[in-house]
Amino acid sequence: MAGMPGGMRQGTSASRDSGRPGGAAMFIGVALILSGVLSVLQGVAGIARDALYGVPRSYAYRFDLTTWGWINLVVGVALVVGGVGVLQARSWGRSAGVGLAAVSLVTEFMFIPYYPLWSISVMTLDLVVLWALARLGV
């Protein structure tokens, strides 16, 4: 970018040298953690109360809601860990963020018949994270 010493993009290498996340890394890390928290809440609700969600009659990925709850809980915890890795500028943070956001996107897509608005909201957040990690290269 013009005006940046050495042609560095704002929020990338300069922030890694100081140990603090730049603007893009901060956004991605917080978005991953938010997606993780939403998935954990979705998982806890599925584990605690099977009657909370609507159950589709015929669906290819139909599992017991407790099973879906555990899947969402595990994916959510992993997303939070990945988000913390991005915020701390860990070497594995970016690749973990891409992989975890992709897994979360697929699991939320399969969960759409149970709770469409929640799933689509988390899917949108996961897509934004994937785009930001691919485009901004944090």
Side-chain angles (χ1 to χ4, degrees):
M1 296 180 94
M4 296 289 296
M8 290 189 298
R9 291 188 296 168
Q10 187 176 11
T12 57
S13 310
S15 61
R16 286 187 193 144
D17 294 340
S18 66
R20 294 186 318 260
M26 179 72 77
F27 169 76
I28 293 168
V30 169
L32 275 170
I33 291 172
L34 178 61
S35 178
V37 168
L38 291 173
S39 292
V40 165
L41 292 174
Q42 188 175 19
V44 168
I47 293 167
R49 302 188 71 195
D50 278 355
L52 182 65
Y53 297 117
V55 180
R57 293 182 188 256
S58 62
Y59 181 54
Y61 304 108
R62 185 175 176 172
F63 294 129
D64 178 42
L65 279 174
T66 305
T67 304
W68 273 117
W70 282 107
I71 291 169
N72 285 323
L73 183 67
V74 168
V75 169
V77 169
L79 284 166
V80 169
V81 170
V84 170
V86 169
L87 286 176
Q88 293 180 349
R90 302 283 185 201
S91 59
W92 50 267
R94 180 174 184 230
S95 56
V98 168
L100 292 170
V103 167
S104 175
L105 182 66
V106 170
T107 56
E108 291 297 330
F109 180 76
M110 293 188 303
F111 196 73
I112 284 177
Y114 295 98
Y115 209 120
L117 293 176
W118 191 283
S119 293
I120 291 171
S121 300
V122 176
M123 285 172 58
T124 303
L125 193 56
D126 292 335
L127 282 171
V128 169
V129 167
L130 282 171
W131 175 84
L133 283 170
R135 177 72 176 108
L136 301 176
V138 173

